[in-house]
Amino acid sequence: QVQLQESGPGLVKPSGTLSLTCGISGGSISTTNWWSWVRQPPGKGLEWVGEIYHSGTTNYSPSLKSRVTISVDKSKNQFSLNLRSVTAADTAIYYCARDLRVRGVTNAFDIWGRGTLVTVSS
Amino acid sequence: DIQLTQSPSFLSASVGDRVTITCRASQGISSFLAWYQQKPGKAPKLLIYAASTLQSGVPSRFSGSGSGTEFTLTISSLQPEDFATYSCLHLTGYPRTFGQGTKLEIK
Protein backbone atom coordinates (compact mmCIF):
# COMPACT_ATOMS: atom_id res chain seq x y z
CA GLN A 1 0.00 0.00 0.00
CA VAL A 2 1.06 3.60 -0.52
CA GLN A 3 3.19 5.08 2.23
CA LEU A 4 4.52 8.61 2.62
CA GLN A 5 7.66 9.72 4.44
CA GLU A 6 8.70 13.30 5.16
CA SER A 7 12.37 14.22 5.35
CA GLY A 8 14.40 17.36 5.84
CA PRO A 9 16.16 19.51 8.44
CA GLY A 10 14.52 19.75 11.82
CA LEU A 11 15.97 23.19 12.55
CA VAL A 12 15.85 26.28 10.35
CA LYS A 13 17.13 29.75 11.17
CA PRO A 14 14.78 32.74 11.13
CA SER A 15 14.57 34.35 7.69
CA GLY A 16 15.85 31.13 6.15
CA THR A 17 14.09 28.61 3.93
CA LEU A 18 12.33 25.51 5.18
CA SER A 19 12.77 22.63 2.73
CA LEU A 20 11.06 19.27 3.09
CA THR A 21 10.58 16.28 0.82
CA CYS A 22 7.84 13.67 0.83
CA GLY A 23 8.90 10.32 -0.54
CA ILE A 24 6.19 8.01 -1.89
CA SER A 25 6.55 4.24 -1.64
CA GLY A 26 4.20 1.48 -2.72
CA GLY A 27 2.74 3.56 -5.53
CA SER A 28 3.40 6.21 -8.14
CA ILE A 29 3.11 9.96 -7.84
CA SER A 30 1.79 9.97 -11.40
CA THR A 31 -1.76 8.97 -10.59
CA THR A 32 -4.99 10.97 -10.48
CA ASN A 33 -4.26 11.98 -6.89
CA TRP A 34 -3.24 15.39 -5.60
CA TRP A 35 -0.50 15.55 -2.99
CA SER A 36 -0.69 17.99 -0.10
CA TRP A 37 1.31 19.52 2.71
CA VAL A 38 -0.44 20.12 6.03
CA ARG A 39 1.18 21.62 9.11
CA GLN A 40 0.37 21.72 12.82
CA PRO A 41 2.03 24.11 15.28
CA PRO A 42 2.75 22.42 18.62
CA GLY A 43 -0.47 22.10 20.60
CA LYS A 44 -2.56 23.74 17.88
CA GLY A 45 -4.84 22.79 15.00
CA LEU A 46 -4.13 21.61 11.48
CA GLU A 47 -3.45 24.01 8.61
CA TRP A 48 -3.47 23.11 4.92
CA VAL A 49 -0.40 24.56 3.17
CA GLY A 50 -0.92 23.57 -0.44
CA GLU A 51 -1.04 20.77 -2.98
CA ILE A 52 0.45 19.59 -6.24
CA TYR A 53 -0.52 17.33 -9.13
CA HIS A 54 2.10 15.25 -10.91
CA SER A 55 1.89 17.63 -13.88
CA GLY A 56 3.24 20.36 -11.63
CA THR A 57 -0.06 22.22 -11.18
CA THR A 58 -0.31 23.68 -7.68
CA ASN A 59 -2.78 25.28 -5.30
CA TYR A 60 -1.61 27.19 -2.23
CA SER A 61 -3.12 28.62 0.92
CA PRO A 62 -3.54 32.37 0.37
CA SER A 63 -1.95 33.10 3.75
CA LEU A 64 1.29 31.39 2.66
CA LYS A 65 1.20 31.81 -1.10
CA SER A 66 3.82 34.57 -1.24
CA ARG A 67 6.38 32.37 0.55
CA VAL A 68 5.65 28.80 -0.50
CA THR A 69 6.61 26.63 -3.45
CA ILE A 70 5.61 22.99 -3.87
CA SER A 71 7.34 21.01 -6.59
CA VAL A 72 7.33 17.45 -7.91
CA ASP A 73 10.16 15.13 -8.97
CA LYS A 74 8.60 12.24 -10.86
CA SER A 75 11.94 10.53 -11.41
CA LYS A 76 12.36 10.21 -7.63
CA ASN A 77 8.66 9.67 -6.94
CA GLN A 78 8.54 12.53 -4.47
CA PHE A 79 7.30 16.05 -3.96
CA SER A 80 8.79 18.90 -2.00
CA LEU A 81 7.90 21.96 0.06
CA ASN A 82 9.93 25.17 0.20
CA LEU A 83 8.83 27.88 2.62
CA ARG A 84 10.86 31.09 2.50
CA SER A 85 11.49 33.83 5.03
CA VAL A 86 10.46 31.68 7.97
CA THR A 87 9.74 32.94 11.47
CA ALA A 88 9.01 31.24 14.76
CA ALA A 89 5.36 31.13 13.70
CA ASP A 90 6.32 28.55 11.07
CA THR A 91 7.48 26.11 13.75
CA ALA A 92 5.23 23.09 13.29
CA ILE A 93 4.92 19.43 12.51
CA TYR A 94 4.73 19.19 8.73
CA TYR A 95 2.76 16.33 7.19
CA CYS A 96 2.47 15.25 3.60
CA ALA A 97 -0.77 13.61 2.54
CA ARG A 98 -2.54 12.05 -0.43
CA ASP A 99 -6.06 12.95 -1.43
CA LEU A 100 -8.93 10.48 -1.57
CA ARG A 101 -10.65 10.74 -4.94
CA VAL A 102 -14.32 9.86 -5.32
CA ARG A 103 -15.71 10.16 -8.85
CA GLY A 104 -12.81 12.43 -9.73
CA VAL A 105 -13.27 14.82 -6.81
CA THR A 106 -11.13 15.18 -3.68
CA ASN A 107 -13.14 14.05 -0.65
CA ALA A 108 -10.46 13.79 2.04
CA PHE A 109 -6.80 13.19 2.70
CA ASP A 110 -6.60 9.47 3.33
CA ILE A 111 -2.90 8.65 3.51
CA TRP A 112 -0.57 10.70 5.69
CA GLY A 113 3.11 10.63 6.46
CA ARG A 114 4.18 10.38 10.09
CA GLY A 115 5.08 14.06 10.13
CA THR A 116 8.32 15.87 10.84
CA LEU A 117 8.85 18.63 13.37
CA VAL A 118 10.55 21.73 12.01
CA THR A 119 11.67 24.32 14.53
CA VAL A 120 12.55 27.85 13.48
CA SER A 121 15.18 29.17 15.85
CA SER A 122 18.59 30.79 15.81
CA ASP B 1 -12.19 31.53 3.13
CA ILE B 2 -14.66 29.06 4.59
CA GLN B 3 -14.37 28.85 8.36
CA LEU B 4 -15.19 25.67 10.25
CA THR B 5 -16.21 25.98 13.90
CA GLN B 6 -16.34 22.89 16.06
CA SER B 7 -18.27 22.53 19.29
CA PRO B 8 -17.48 21.77 21.92
CA SER B 9 -13.73 22.43 21.99
CA PHE B 10 -13.36 20.09 24.98
CA LEU B 11 -15.52 17.16 25.92
CA SER B 12 -15.30 14.94 28.96
CA ALA B 13 -17.04 11.57 28.74
CA SER B 14 -16.97 8.01 30.04
CA VAL B 15 -16.45 4.67 28.36
CA GLY B 16 -19.77 3.54 26.93
CA ASP B 17 -21.15 7.07 26.49
CA ARG B 18 -22.65 8.33 23.25
CA VAL B 19 -21.01 11.57 22.16
CA THR B 20 -21.66 14.04 19.39
CA ILE B 21 -19.32 16.68 17.98
CA THR B 22 -20.61 19.45 15.73
CA CYS B 23 -18.83 21.23 12.89
CA ARG B 24 -20.42 24.36 11.43
CA ALA B 25 -19.27 25.91 8.16
CA SER B 26 -19.41 29.65 7.50
CA GLN B 27 -21.05 28.92 4.15
CA GLY B 28 -22.55 25.90 2.44
CA ILE B 29 -20.11 23.14 1.55
CA SER B 30 -22.56 20.51 0.30
CA SER B 31 -21.25 17.22 1.72
CA PHE B 32 -17.54 17.86 1.18
CA LEU B 33 -16.59 17.33 4.79
CA ALA B 34 -14.25 14.83 6.40
CA TRP B 35 -13.62 13.90 10.02
CA TYR B 36 -10.27 12.94 11.53
CA GLN B 37 -9.08 11.42 14.78
CA GLN B 38 -5.64 12.37 16.06
CA LYS B 39 -3.73 10.95 19.01
CA PRO B 40 -0.65 12.61 20.54
CA GLY B 41 2.43 12.23 18.37
CA LYS B 42 0.49 10.64 15.53
CA ALA B 43 -0.77 11.76 12.15
CA PRO B 44 -4.49 12.39 11.70
CA LYS B 45 -6.52 9.30 10.84
CA LEU B 46 -9.42 9.57 8.40
CA LEU B 47 -12.72 8.42 9.92
CA ILE B 48 -15.48 9.80 7.70
CA TYR B 49 -15.57 11.45 4.29
CA ALA B 50 -18.35 12.91 2.18
CA ALA B 51 -19.96 13.83 5.51
CA SER B 52 -21.29 10.34 6.20
CA THR B 53 -19.18 7.68 4.46
CA LEU B 54 -17.20 5.52 6.85
CA GLN B 55 -13.59 5.03 5.79
CA SER B 56 -12.58 1.41 5.33
CA GLY B 57 -11.45 -0.21 8.56
CA VAL B 58 -13.06 2.37 10.86
CA PRO B 59 -15.36 0.86 13.52
CA SER B 60 -19.08 1.22 12.91
CA ARG B 61 -19.57 3.03 16.22
CA PHE B 62 -18.38 6.13 14.34
CA SER B 63 -20.93 7.87 12.14
CA GLY B 64 -21.28 11.22 10.42
CA SER B 65 -24.21 13.23 9.20
CA GLY B 66 -25.14 16.62 7.81
CA SER B 67 -24.87 18.72 4.70
CA GLY B 68 -24.68 22.38 3.82
CA THR B 69 -23.40 24.17 6.91
CA GLU B 70 -23.96 21.81 9.85
CA PHE B 71 -22.34 18.45 10.39
CA THR B 72 -22.03 16.00 13.24
CA LEU B 73 -19.69 13.19 14.21
CA THR B 74 -21.22 10.66 16.59
CA ILE B 75 -19.50 7.91 18.54
CA SER B 76 -22.24 5.55 19.68
CA SER B 77 -20.42 3.87 22.56
CA LEU B 78 -17.06 5.28 23.58
CA GLN B 79 -14.18 2.86 23.82
CA PRO B 80 -10.91 3.57 25.69
CA GLU B 81 -9.04 3.99 22.40
CA ASP B 82 -11.42 6.74 21.25
CA PHE B 83 -10.06 9.37 23.61
CA ALA B 84 -8.29 11.70 21.21
CA THR B 85 -8.71 14.97 19.33
CA TYR B 86 -11.23 15.13 16.49
CA SER B 87 -11.10 17.61 13.62
CA CYS B 88 -13.27 18.36 10.63
CA LEU B 89 -11.97 19.39 7.21
CA HIS B 90 -13.80 20.93 4.26
CA LEU B 91 -12.86 20.24 0.66
CA THR B 92 -15.07 22.69 -1.18
CA GLY B 93 -12.78 24.98 -3.08
CA TYR B 94 -9.65 26.59 -1.73
CA PRO B 95 -8.14 26.98 0.71
CA ARG B 96 -8.95 23.71 2.45
CA THR B 97 -9.55 24.49 6.11
CA PHE B 98 -9.81 22.45 9.29
CA GLY B 99 -11.91 23.03 12.36
CA GLN B 100 -10.03 23.99 15.51
CA GLY B 101 -10.39 20.51 16.99
CA THR B 102 -12.36 18.88 19.80
CA LYS B 103 -10.39 17.19 22.55
CA LEU B 104 -12.25 14.20 23.96
CA GLU B 105 -11.06 13.33 27.44
CA ILE B 106 -11.88 10.60 29.91
CA LYS B 107 -14.23 11.69 32.70
Side-chain angles (χ1 to χ4, degrees):
Chain A
Q1 70 279 21
V2 174
Q3 292 184 311
L4 307 179
Q5 177 66 59
E6 304 88 350
S7 60
L11 182 64
V12 181
K13 292 187 184 329
S15 77
T17 297
L18 179 159
S19 296
L20 296 174
T21 295
C22 181
I24 302 165
S25 59
S28 173
I29 196 170
S30 298
T31 61
T32 57
N33 299 99
W34 286 74
W35 307 88
S36 281
W37 288 97
V38 176
R39 69 179 185 176
Q40 185 171 37
K44 296 187 178 181
L46 297 156
E47 178 184 21
W48 179 77
V49 174
E51 67 181 9
I52 192 164
Y53 194 65
H54 64 80
S55 64
T57 302
T58 54
N59 292 297
Y60 298 130
S61 172
S63 66
L64 297 170
K65 189 173 184 177
S66 64
R67 299 192 292 129
V68 69
T69 301
I70 299 175
S71 58
V72 65
D73 187 336
K74 290 190 281 188
S75 68
K76 294 183 178 179
N77 211 38
Q78 65 186 33
F79 61 106
S80 298
L81 169 69
N82 272 11
L83 183 63
R84 299 174 291 278
S85 304
V86 296
T87 69
D90 295 308
T91 294
I93 298 171
Y94 285 77
Y95 296 99
C96 56
R98 186 193 77 170
D99 81 336
L100 172 66
R101 310 284 284 170
V102 178
R103 290 184 291 277
V105 178
T106 295
N107 269 251
F109 304 135
D110 64 339
I111 299 175
W112 295 65
R114 298 174 75 171
T116 187
L117 174 63
V118 179
T119 301
V120 179
S121 175
S122 56
Chain B
D1 297 2
I2 295 173
Q3 311 299 321
L4 297 180
T5 303
Q6 291 182 230
S7 59
S9 294
F10 297 93
L11 181 56
S12 182
S14 301
V15 172
D17 284 354
R18 178 184 179 91
V19 300
T20 297
I21 299 168
T22 297
C23 179
R24 289 186 174 87
S26 58
Q27 62 190 79
I29 59 171
S30 185
S31 296
F32 291 101
L33 188 101
W35 287 99
Y36 290 87
Q37 176 194 70
Q38 190 176 21
K39 296 181 179 179
K42 299 293 187 181
K45 174 187 175 183
L46 176 63
L47 300 175
I48 302 279
Y49 64 92
S52 60
T53 302
L54 195 67
Q55 171 69 341
S56 176
V58 174
S60 59
R61 62 181 181 272
F62 291 92
S63 64
S65 65
S67 67
T69 61
E70 187 153 335
F71 302 85
T72 59
L73 172 70
T74 299
I75 310 172
S76 61
S77 178
L78 275 174
Q79 298 302 300
E81 61 268 29
D82 299 336
F83 292 93
T85 298
Y86 293 84
S87 299
C88 54
L89 162 69
H90 92 79
L91 299 116
T92 301
Y94 296 95
R96 317 306 198 182
T97 54
F98 291 85
Q100 82 279 13
T102 295
K103 187 172 184 179
L104 177 55
E105 299 179 325
I106 301 174
K107 184 182 288 184

